[in-house]
Amino acid sequence: MKTRPDLLDIDQLVSLGDLTGGGVYQIVDDFASCLMDRVAGLRAISGERNMGEMRMAVHQLKGSALSCGFLSVASMLEQDGVGDALDFSGLEACAWESIGAWKRFLSVIRS
């Protein structure tokens, strides 16, 4: 599978600082590690039909995704897509693909 060029914002990742060690790497890696759990949490909140909580969770995840350079994930989390309109299957696929892109990016900068 070919990586979409818009999965990661490489400029954002580089602007964070030294990604080969230290705190910056850990923050982005922690985000990548918990991303699927956060998507599952969104799905659970959506099932509860609590739109206020859903909007807040979408806002938080989108902000984290943008800060960590996960551009495609962030683009799928528009406020008008909250609730039934949110494409969870697409979001999950995008999250997996973005996590893979992050791991590939790390392997390149570490070598």
XYZ file of all heavy atoms in Angstrom:
830
model
N 0.843 -1.164 0.000
C 0.000 0.000 0.000
C 0.898 1.240 0.000
O 1.799 1.356 0.808
C -0.898 -0.003 1.238
C -1.650 1.263 1.404
S -2.735 1.440 2.864
C -2.668 -0.048 3.733
N 0.639 2.161 -0.904
C 1.414 3.383 -1.002
C 0.905 4.389 0.026
O -0.292 4.556 0.205
C 1.305 3.953 -2.411
C 2.197 5.140 -2.620
C 2.169 5.590 -4.059
C 3.106 6.778 -4.201
N 3.228 7.225 -5.549
N 1.815 5.078 0.677
C 1.458 6.076 1.679
C 0.963 7.340 0.996
O 1.598 7.840 0.077
C 2.684 6.423 2.548
O 3.141 5.235 3.166
C 2.342 7.443 3.600
N -0.167 7.845 1.468
C -0.666 9.120 0.958
C 0.248 10.222 1.477
O 0.654 10.205 2.628
C -2.096 9.367 1.434
C -3.077 8.398 0.837
C -4.516 8.760 1.168
N -4.679 9.485 2.407
C -5.500 9.110 3.389
N -6.219 8.031 3.274
N -5.597 9.824 4.482
N 0.552 11.206 0.646
C 1.482 12.247 1.070
C 0.920 13.156 2.167
O 1.675 13.826 2.855
C 1.740 13.034 -0.218
C 0.573 12.746 -1.087
C 0.111 11.357 -0.726
N -0.376 13.180 2.350
C -0.976 14.089 3.325
C -1.219 13.443 4.689
O -1.851 14.032 5.548
C -2.282 14.658 2.785
C -3.346 13.585 2.569
O -2.988 12.397 2.456
O -4.536 13.942 2.504
N -0.718 12.250 4.907
C -0.940 11.595 6.191
C -0.286 12.354 7.327
O -0.893 12.593 8.366
C -0.411 10.157 6.169
C -1.246 9.162 5.396
C -0.523 7.821 5.324
C -2.606 8.985 6.030
N 0.975 12.692 7.151
C 1.728 13.391 8.181
C 2.164 14.754 7.662
O 2.536 14.895 6.511
C 2.973 12.604 8.581
C 2.769 11.232 9.193
C 4.121 10.593 9.485
C 1.937 11.300 10.455
N 2.145 15.716 8.544
C 2.671 17.044 8.236
C 4.136 17.029 8.659
O 4.460 17.281 9.818
C 1.871 18.099 8.988
C 2.306 19.519 8.674
O 3.383 19.692 8.057
O 1.579 20.449 9.048
N 5.003 16.703 7.722
C 6.431 16.555 8.024
C 7.012 17.870 8.547
O 7.812 17.866 9.488
C 7.216 16.065 6.788
C 6.654 14.718 6.287
C 8.706 15.962 7.088
C 6.680 13.603 7.302
N 6.597 18.992 7.985
C 7.091 20.285 8.463
C 6.729 20.493 9.934
O 7.536 20.985 10.714
C 6.533 21.436 7.627
C 7.071 21.444 6.205
O 8.179 20.903 5.977
O 6.393 21.992 5.317
N 5.512 20.110 10.313
C 5.091 20.216 11.715
C 5.950 19.314 12.590
O 6.396 19.728 13.650
C 3.607 19.866 11.867
C 3.111 19.763 13.296
C 3.133 21.073 14.060
O 3.259 22.132 13.497
N 3.024 20.979 15.367
N 6.171 18.100 12.152
C 6.992 17.170 12.939
C 8.410 17.700 13.123
O 8.950 17.675 14.224
C 7.015 15.790 12.282
C 5.709 15.004 12.372
C 5.762 13.784 11.462
C 5.415 14.605 13.808
N 9.000 18.201 12.064
C 10.362 18.729 12.130
C 10.412 19.965 13.034
O 11.356 20.146 13.800
C 10.896 19.038 10.713
C 12.191 19.816 10.753
C 11.073 17.739 9.935
N 9.366 20.786 12.992
C 9.358 22.007 13.811
C 9.267 21.710 15.304
O 9.588 22.560 16.135
C 8.201 22.923 13.396
O 6.969 22.440 13.894
N 8.851 20.501 15.664
C 8.728 20.146 17.076
C 10.086 20.015 17.760
O 10.187 20.140 18.970
C 7.947 18.836 17.226
C 6.471 18.897 16.833
C 5.866 17.501 16.863
C 5.696 19.848 17.734
N 11.102 19.721 16.990
C 12.435 19.572 17.563
C 12.998 18.198 17.299
O 12.607 17.515 16.360
N 13.899 17.772 18.162
C 14.605 16.501 18.005
C 13.649 15.325 18.204
O 13.220 15.054 19.321
C 15.756 16.419 19.001
C 16.542 15.125 18.882
O 16.385 14.414 17.862
O 17.315 14.834 19.806
N 13.331 14.648 17.131
C 12.393 13.518 17.196
C 13.091 12.190 17.448
O 12.433 11.176 17.608
C 11.586 13.426 15.901
C 10.573 14.539 15.700
C 9.999 14.465 14.286
C 9.466 14.459 16.716
N 14.404 12.187 17.483
C 15.100 10.916 17.665
C 15.275 10.549 19.132
O 15.739 9.470 19.453
C 16.482 10.949 16.974
O 17.252 12.018 17.542
C 16.334 11.140 15.477
N 14.895 11.405 19.998
C 15.001 11.114 21.424
C 14.344 12.218 22.223
O 13.834 13.187 21.689
N 14.321 12.054 23.516
C 13.800 13.100 24.372
C 12.289 13.188 24.380
O 11.585 12.319 23.893
N 11.815 14.277 24.946
C 10.390 14.459 25.188
C 9.527 14.586 23.953
O 8.396 14.111 23.937
N 10.039 15.244 22.911
C 9.209 15.462 21.716
C 8.853 14.133 21.067
O 7.685 13.877 20.764
C 9.925 16.384 20.704
C 9.130 16.492 19.416
C 10.149 17.756 21.318
N 9.837 13.285 20.891
C 9.584 11.962 20.321
C 8.528 11.235 21.148
O 7.593 10.657 20.611
C 10.873 11.140 20.279
C 10.621 9.653 20.306
C 10.208 8.984 19.160
C 10.732 8.930 21.489
C 9.934 7.625 19.189
C 10.463 7.580 21.524
C 10.066 6.933 20.378
O 9.786 5.595 20.419
N 8.676 11.282 22.454
C 7.769 10.540 23.332
C 6.337 11.048 23.227
O 5.387 10.268 23.235
C 8.249 10.606 24.784
C 7.597 9.568 25.660
C 7.854 8.150 25.170
O 8.991 7.749 24.984
N 6.807 7.391 24.943
N 6.157 12.357 23.111
C 4.814 12.930 22.988
C 4.132 12.431 21.723
O 2.991 11.974 21.757
C 4.876 14.471 23.013
C 5.272 14.951 24.413
C 3.539 15.079 22.574
C 5.639 16.410 24.484
N 4.831 12.522 20.604
C 4.230 12.090 19.332
C 4.033 10.580 19.330
O 2.996 10.078 18.885
C 5.084 12.545 18.124
C 4.471 12.057 16.813
C 5.223 14.067 18.109
N 4.997 9.848 19.855
C 4.867 8.396 19.893
C 3.729 7.969 20.823
O 2.990 7.031 20.502
C 6.186 7.754 20.315
C 6.309 6.336 19.818
O 6.130 6.107 18.597
O 6.580 5.446 20.644
N 3.567 8.649 21.942
C 2.439 8.356 22.841
C 1.110 8.621 22.141
O 0.162 7.844 22.274
C 2.512 9.189 24.122
C 3.593 8.724 25.078
O 4.173 7.634 24.871
O 3.873 9.473 26.034
N 1.051 9.722 21.398
C -0.168 10.023 20.639
C -0.462 8.896 19.658
O -1.594 8.407 19.578
C -0.047 11.357 19.894
C -1.209 11.620 18.994
C -2.421 12.061 19.509
C -1.118 11.399 17.630
C -3.519 12.273 18.677
C -2.206 11.614 16.794
C -3.407 12.052 17.322
N 0.557 8.476 18.906
C 0.374 7.394 17.930
C -0.056 6.105 18.619
O -0.932 5.389 18.114
C 1.658 7.175 17.131
N 0.521 5.837 19.790
C 0.215 4.596 20.509
C -1.216 4.546 21.036
O -1.807 3.472 21.127
C 1.182 4.417 21.682
O 2.486 4.252 21.210
N -1.771 5.698 21.388
C -3.128 5.700 21.956
C -4.191 6.136 20.956
O -5.377 6.198 21.306
C -3.181 6.564 23.208
S -3.122 8.336 22.898
N -3.790 6.405 19.722
C -4.739 6.928 18.732
C -5.938 6.009 18.508
O -7.080 6.463 18.492
C -4.021 7.216 17.409
C -4.874 7.797 16.284
C -5.602 9.061 16.736
C -4.004 8.078 15.068
N -5.705 4.731 18.363
C -6.827 3.820 18.107
C -7.779 3.762 19.306
O -8.999 3.666 19.132
C -6.321 2.432 17.729
C -5.538 2.406 16.423
S -6.338 3.241 15.012
C -7.809 2.254 14.808
N -7.237 3.854 20.517
C -8.088 3.891 21.709
C -8.929 5.159 21.731
O -10.102 5.134 22.124
C -7.246 3.815 22.991
C -6.629 2.447 23.210
O -7.157 1.446 22.662
O -5.616 2.373 23.926
N -8.341 6.260 21.316
C -9.094 7.522 21.297
C -10.191 7.495 20.243
O -11.284 8.019 20.467
C -8.136 8.695 21.091
C -7.244 8.896 22.321
C -6.352 10.070 22.219
N -7.090 11.322 22.338
C -6.497 12.508 22.289
N -5.188 12.595 22.141
N -7.211 13.610 22.389
N -9.919 6.873 19.107
C -10.957 6.724 18.077
C -12.082 5.835 18.606
O -13.260 6.137 18.428
C -10.360 6.172 16.760
C -11.455 5.808 15.769
C -9.393 7.187 16.147
N -11.717 4.760 19.285
C -12.732 3.880 19.882
C -13.541 4.641 20.927
O -14.765 4.454 21.035
C -12.069 2.659 20.510
N -12.899 5.507 21.676
C -13.608 6.332 22.647
C -14.604 7.267 21.988
O -15.722 7.461 22.495
N -14.210 7.833 20.857
C -15.138 8.684 20.103
C -16.361 7.887 19.669
O -17.495 8.374 19.748
C -14.470 9.259 18.852
C -13.579 10.463 18.996
C -13.049 10.878 17.631
C -14.304 11.614 19.649
N -16.120 6.690 19.200
C -17.235 5.836 18.755
C -18.183 5.557 19.923
O -19.405 5.603 19.774
C -16.715 4.533 18.156
C -17.810 3.703 17.501
C -17.285 2.361 17.018
N -16.466 2.416 15.847
C -16.926 2.331 14.599
N -18.214 2.220 14.361
N -16.094 2.324 13.577
N -17.628 5.298 21.092
C -18.450 5.022 22.274
C -19.262 6.250 22.673
O -20.462 6.144 22.971
C -17.570 4.566 23.436
N -18.625 7.408 22.660
C -19.337 8.646 22.990
C -20.444 8.910 21.981
O -21.546 9.333 22.341
C -18.360 9.839 23.055
C -17.408 9.671 24.231
C -19.123 11.158 23.160
C -16.234 10.636 24.214
N -20.170 8.630 20.718
C -21.176 8.825 19.674
C -22.405 7.968 19.943
O -23.534 8.411 19.739
C -20.576 8.485 18.305
O -21.547 8.600 17.293
N -22.183 6.755 20.420
C -23.289 5.853 20.725
C -24.143 6.343 21.877
O -25.326 6.005 21.973
N -23.560 7.168 22.753
C -24.300 7.710 23.888
C -25.166 8.912 23.500
O -25.987 9.371 24.288
C -23.320 8.130 24.988
C -22.556 6.975 25.576
C -21.418 7.436 26.475
O -21.271 8.665 26.707
O -20.670 6.564 26.932
N -24.941 9.435 22.295
C -25.709 10.573 21.771
C -25.548 11.844 22.608
O -26.433 12.677 22.663
C -27.186 10.222 21.647
C -27.468 9.018 20.798
C -27.617 9.454 19.375
N -28.052 8.322 18.563
C -27.517 8.063 17.401
N -26.589 8.827 16.915
N -27.929 7.040 16.693
N -24.413 11.991 23.286
C -24.125 13.192 24.049
C -23.311 14.114 23.144
O -22.092 14.012 23.062
C -23.347 12.841 25.320
C -23.073 14.047 26.194
O -23.024 15.183 25.724
N -22.877 13.796 27.476
N -23.991 15.015 22.458
C -23.338 15.836 21.436
C -22.318 16.809 22.035
O -21.298 17.087 21.420
C -24.385 16.591 20.615
C -25.287 15.655 19.798
S -24.370 14.427 18.824
C -23.619 15.473 17.613
N -22.575 17.315 23.232
C -21.610 18.215 23.858
C -20.304 17.509 24.152
O -19.215 18.021 23.865
N -20.392 16.323 24.730
C -19.197 15.536 25.030
C -18.504 15.113 23.732
O -17.273 15.110 23.647
C -19.578 14.305 25.858
C -18.381 13.535 26.358
C -18.749 12.347 27.239
O -19.937 12.154 27.563
O -17.829 11.600 27.600
N -19.292 14.792 22.725
C -18.733 14.383 21.441
C -17.954 15.535 20.806
O -16.835 15.344 20.329
C -19.854 13.896 20.516
C -19.391 13.400 19.190
S -18.449 11.868 19.356
C -18.214 11.460 17.651
N -18.547 16.720 20.807
C -17.850 17.876 20.226
C -16.531 18.146 20.952
O -15.525 18.467 20.334
C -18.750 19.112 20.270
C -19.784 19.127 19.189
C -20.503 20.478 19.120
N -21.568 20.409 18.148
C -22.811 20.016 18.410
N -23.155 19.670 19.635
N -23.720 19.970 17.464
N -16.548 18.039 22.272
C -15.337 18.278 23.056
C -14.274 17.220 22.732
O -13.095 17.549 22.533
C -15.643 18.259 24.546
C -14.424 18.515 25.413
S -13.642 20.112 25.135
C -14.797 21.181 25.955
N -14.668 15.970 22.656
C -13.717 14.892 22.354
C -13.145 15.048 20.949
O -11.942 14.841 20.732
C -14.391 13.534 22.519
N -13.985 15.420 19.989
C -13.519 15.650 18.616
C -12.530 16.813 18.599
O -11.465 16.731 17.982
C -14.705 15.903 17.656
C -14.234 16.476 16.334
C -15.479 14.614 17.431
N -12.872 17.882 19.293
C -12.008 19.062 19.348
C -10.640 18.710 19.948
O -9.591 19.107 19.422
C -12.695 20.145 20.185
C -11.859 21.363 20.414
N -11.601 22.295 19.430
C -11.210 21.795 21.522
C -10.830 23.245 19.920
N -10.583 22.968 21.195
N -10.640 17.961 21.034
C -9.385 17.581 21.692
C -8.538 16.678 20.804
O -7.326 16.870 20.685
C -9.672 16.898 23.026
C -10.197 17.854 24.071
C -10.668 17.147 25.333
O -10.885 15.939 25.356
N -10.835 17.911 26.388
N -9.172 15.685 20.187
C -8.417 14.778 19.329
C -7.889 15.503 18.100
O -6.738 15.295 17.698
C -9.271 13.573 18.921
C -8.577 12.528 18.040
C -7.274 12.033 18.675
C -9.512 11.361 17.766
N -8.689 16.387 17.526
C -8.238 17.133 16.354
C -7.042 18.016 16.710
O -6.055 18.067 15.981
C -9.365 17.987 15.784
C -8.950 18.739 14.535
C -10.100 19.486 13.918
C -9.631 20.170 12.644
N -10.747 20.758 11.916
N -7.105 18.691 17.856
C -5.986 19.528 18.286
C -4.718 18.721 18.510
O -3.623 19.132 18.104
N -4.862 17.577 19.139
C -3.704 16.699 19.369
C -3.134 16.208 18.049
O -1.910 16.172 17.861
C -4.100 15.500 20.234
O -4.503 15.916 21.512
N -4.015 15.824 17.136
C -3.568 15.326 15.830
C -2.816 16.415 15.070
O -1.751 16.156 14.485
C -4.757 14.821 15.014
N -3.325 17.637 15.084
C -2.641 18.736 14.402
C -1.295 19.029 15.050
O -0.295 19.231 14.357
C -3.511 19.994 14.406
C -4.687 19.996 13.441
C -5.585 21.199 13.704
C -4.212 19.978 11.990
N -1.261 19.051 16.367
C -0.007 19.334 17.086
C 1.058 18.285 16.805
O 2.249 18.596 16.752
C -0.259 19.397 18.591
O -1.097 20.481 18.902
N 0.629 17.044 16.642
C 1.565 15.938 16.412
C 1.815 15.673 14.937
O 2.535 14.740 14.588
C 1.052 14.675 17.100
S 1.111 14.796 18.902
N 1.223 16.479 14.065
C 1.479 16.354 12.637
C 0.667 15.292 11.919
O 0.967 14.950 10.783
N -0.377 14.772 12.552
C -1.229 13.757 11.922
C -2.344 14.466 11.151
O -3.508 14.494 11.540
C -1.796 12.803 12.979
C -0.807 11.782 13.454
C 0.375 12.159 14.084
C -1.046 10.439 13.273
C 1.295 11.214 14.514
C -0.134 9.480 13.710
C 1.039 9.872 14.325
N -1.954 15.051 10.034
C -2.806 15.924 9.239
C -4.087 15.255 8.747
O -5.171 15.824 8.842
C -1.992 16.446 8.054
C -2.523 17.604 7.257
C -2.695 18.814 8.142
C -1.571 17.920 6.117
N -3.981 14.057 8.225
C -5.164 13.382 7.676
C -6.176 13.046 8.759
O -7.378 13.162 8.545
C -4.776 12.107 6.928
O -4.124 12.439 5.737
N -5.703 12.623 9.918
C -6.608 12.322 11.032
C -7.358 13.595 11.409
O -8.577 13.596 11.550
C -5.845 11.737 12.236
C -6.741 11.646 13.460
C -5.272 10.366 11.892
N -6.616 14.688 11.559
C -7.242 15.964 11.931
C -8.277 16.397 10.904
O -9.353 16.885 11.275
C -6.171 17.037 12.097
N -7.986 16.188 9.630
C -8.916 16.636 8.588
C -10.228 15.858 8.596
O -11.242 16.347 8.103
C -8.259 16.546 7.210
O -8.118 15.196 6.809
N -10.219 14.674 9.173
C -11.446 13.873 9.243
C -12.315 14.245 10.439
O -13.421 13.756 10.586
C -11.100 12.390 9.302
C -10.399 11.908 8.048
S -10.306 10.133 7.971
C -11.994 9.750 7.523
N -11.815 15.129 11.301
C -12.504 15.460 12.538
C -13.097 16.872 12.503
O -12.848 17.684 13.379
C -11.540 15.321 13.722
C -11.044 13.909 13.966
C -9.888 13.902 14.952
C -12.182 13.027 14.460
N -13.888 17.140 11.516
C -14.551 18.430 11.413
C -15.752 18.462 12.345
O -16.458 17.470 12.497
C -14.980 18.695 9.974
C -13.825 18.781 8.996
C -12.813 19.864 9.346
O -13.213 20.927 9.852
O -11.617 19.634 9.123
N -16.012 19.600 12.958
C -17.115 19.722 13.909
C -18.472 19.416 13.292
O -19.362 18.896 13.945
C -17.139 21.123 14.530
C -16.018 21.352 15.522
C -16.098 20.462 16.754
O -17.167 20.083 17.199
N -14.955 20.122 17.300
N -18.644 19.727 12.006
C -19.940 19.445 11.374
C -20.105 17.958 11.061
O -21.169 17.517 10.668
C -20.142 20.278 10.114
C -19.055 20.063 9.071
O -18.046 19.409 9.370
O -19.229 20.577 7.955
N -19.053 17.172 11.273
C -19.127 15.734 11.047
C -19.353 14.950 12.318
O -19.187 13.742 12.354
N -19.729 15.636 13.387
C -19.908 14.987 14.682
C -21.172 14.131 14.679
O -22.156 14.441 14.021
C -19.965 16.054 15.797
C -20.326 15.447 17.129
C -18.633 16.780 15.900
N -21.117 13.076 15.454
C -22.284 12.207 15.601
C -22.379 11.196 14.484
O -21.392 10.612 14.073
N -23.580 11.010 13.984
C -23.816 10.003 12.952
C -23.049 10.278 11.667
O -22.766 9.368 10.908
C -25.312 9.910 12.637
C -26.118 9.361 13.804
O -25.532 8.632 14.640
O -27.315 9.668 13.890
N -22.727 11.555 11.425
C -22.051 11.912 10.181
C -20.556 11.586 10.204
O -19.915 11.589 9.168
C -22.253 13.403 9.882
N -19.996 11.299 11.370
C -18.575 10.984 11.459
C -18.320 9.589 10.885
O -18.952 8.623 11.289
C -18.104 11.057 12.914
C -16.610 11.002 13.168
C -15.890 12.139 12.446
C -16.327 11.115 14.651
N -17.401 9.515 9.939
C -17.074 8.269 9.255
C -16.042 7.504 10.095
O -14.841 7.659 9.916
C -16.526 8.578 7.865
C -16.036 7.352 7.124
O -16.310 6.216 7.571
O -15.358 7.527 6.089
N -16.529 6.686 11.029
C -15.624 5.971 11.927
C -14.767 4.956 11.197
O -13.585 4.798 11.522
C -16.403 5.302 13.067
C -16.858 6.276 14.100
C -18.186 6.638 14.192
C -15.955 6.845 14.974
C -18.606 7.552 15.142
C -16.364 7.761 15.938
C -17.695 8.111 16.013
N -15.311 4.270 10.215
C -14.502 3.294 9.456
C -13.370 3.998 8.732
O -12.225 3.534 8.744
C -15.376 2.532 8.465
O -16.311 1.748 9.147
N -13.686 5.114 8.103
C -12.661 5.892 7.410
C -11.637 6.462 8.375
O -10.438 6.474 8.094
N -12.112 6.933 9.533
C -11.211 7.482 10.548
C -10.271 6.404 11.078
O -9.077 6.636 11.240
C -12.024 8.101 11.687
C -11.239 8.716 12.838
C -10.307 9.818 12.341
C -12.198 9.243 13.903
N -10.804 5.218 11.329
C -9.964 4.115 11.804
C -8.914 3.740 10.770
O -7.738 3.545 11.110
C -10.829 2.908 12.161
C -11.639 3.111 13.416
C -12.718 2.062 13.626
O -12.963 1.244 12.708
O -13.316 2.077 14.720
N -9.317 3.637 9.517
C -8.363 3.298 8.450
C -7.290 4.374 8.322
O -6.094 4.064 8.202
C -9.106 3.112 7.126
N -7.702 5.624 8.381
C -6.763 6.738 8.291
C -5.809 6.731 9.483
O -4.610 6.974 9.330
C -7.532 8.048 8.216
S -6.482 9.497 8.093
N -6.331 6.445 10.664
C -5.489 6.398 11.867
C -4.437 5.306 11.738
O -3.253 5.536 12.023
C -6.360 6.189 13.101
N -4.840 4.112 11.311
C -3.873 3.014 11.131
C -2.809 3.394 10.114
O -1.614 3.151 10.304
C -4.568 1.730 10.701
C -5.169 0.945 11.809
C -6.478 0.610 11.955
C -4.496 0.370 12.939
N -6.662 -0.113 13.108
C -5.457 -0.278 13.733
C -3.170 0.352 13.364
C -5.146 -0.939 14.918
C -2.854 -0.303 14.548
C -3.834 -0.935 15.308
N -3.241 3.977 9.014
C -2.307 4.362 7.964
C -1.346 5.452 8.463
O -0.150 5.428 8.170
C -3.091 4.851 6.742
C -2.293 4.877 5.471
C -3.127 5.217 4.258
O -4.367 5.276 4.339
O -2.506 5.440 3.208
N -1.863 6.385 9.247
C -1.039 7.459 9.794
C -0.037 6.935 10.816
O 1.116 7.384 10.857
C -1.924 8.530 10.434
O -2.747 9.133 9.466
N -0.459 5.989 11.633
C 0.454 5.368 12.601
C 1.599 4.677 11.853
O 2.764 4.793 12.233
C -0.301 4.383 13.514
C -1.256 5.141 14.435
C 0.673 3.518 14.313
C -2.297 4.270 15.117
N 1.261 3.972 10.783
C 2.291 3.325 9.972
C 3.239 4.337 9.351
O 4.460 4.125 9.321
N 2.698 5.466 8.880
C 3.539 6.515 8.300
C 4.473 7.107 9.356
O 5.640 7.388 9.077
C 2.668 7.608 7.682
N 3.967 7.283 10.582
C 4.801 7.779 11.683
C 5.952 6.809 11.958
O 7.099 7.216 12.103
C 3.952 8.001 12.930
C 4.740 8.104 14.205
C 4.740 7.218 15.235
C 5.646 9.147 14.593
N 5.590 7.641 16.239
C 6.160 8.822 15.863
C 6.087 10.313 13.982
C 7.076 9.626 16.538
C 7.010 11.118 14.655
C 7.488 10.774 15.917
N 5.642 5.528 12.008
C 6.689 4.531 12.272
C 7.730 4.510 11.158
O 8.928 4.400 11.419
C 6.068 3.155 12.478
C 5.306 3.057 13.789
C 4.668 1.708 13.971
C 3.910 1.673 15.293
N 3.257 0.406 15.531
N 7.281 4.635 9.914
C 8.227 4.674 8.790
C 9.079 5.948 8.860
O 10.282 5.909 8.621
C 7.497 4.571 7.457
C 6.955 3.176 7.170
C 6.380 3.045 5.774
N 5.234 3.907 5.535
C 3.989 3.642 5.929
N 3.720 2.528 6.586
N 3.009 4.478 5.659
N 8.446 7.075 9.180
C 9.166 8.336 9.311
C 10.245 8.214 10.393
O 11.382 8.620 10.193
C 8.183 9.455 9.654
C 8.822 10.783 9.932
C 9.306 11.563 8.894
C 8.920 11.269 11.227
C 9.902 12.798 9.148
C 9.514 12.501 11.489
C 9.999 13.269 10.438
N 9.899 7.633 11.525
C 10.860 7.444 12.604
C 12.037 6.566 12.172
O 13.181 6.864 12.503
C 10.188 6.787 13.814
C 9.683 7.690 14.901
C 9.186 6.858 16.080
C 10.677 8.711 15.338
N 11.720 5.505 11.456
C 12.811 4.606 11.033
C 13.772 5.316 10.090
O 14.975 5.047 10.124
C 12.252 3.335 10.405
O 11.676 3.602 9.146
N 13.270 6.241 9.294
C 14.138 6.974 8.362
C 15.012 7.969 9.122
O 16.221 8.053 8.889
C 13.298 7.723 7.296
C 14.136 8.729 6.521
C 12.650 6.732 6.357
N 14.421 8.725 10.067
C 15.235 9.733 10.752
C 16.195 9.118 11.764
O 17.177 9.739 12.127
C 14.372 10.831 11.423
C 13.501 10.258 12.548
C 13.556 11.577 10.400
C 12.808 11.319 13.372
N 15.923 7.917 12.189
C 16.821 7.239 13.132
C 18.002 6.574 12.437
O 18.998 6.265 13.070
C 16.051 6.183 13.915
C 15.178 6.779 14.960
C 14.487 5.693 15.706
N 13.885 6.213 16.917
C 13.067 5.534 17.672
N 12.754 4.288 17.365
N 12.555 6.070 18.752
N 17.862 6.318 11.135
C 18.958 5.611 10.433
C 20.035 6.538 9.950
O 20.033 7.686 10.040
C 18.414 4.813 9.265
O 17.712 5.643 8.369
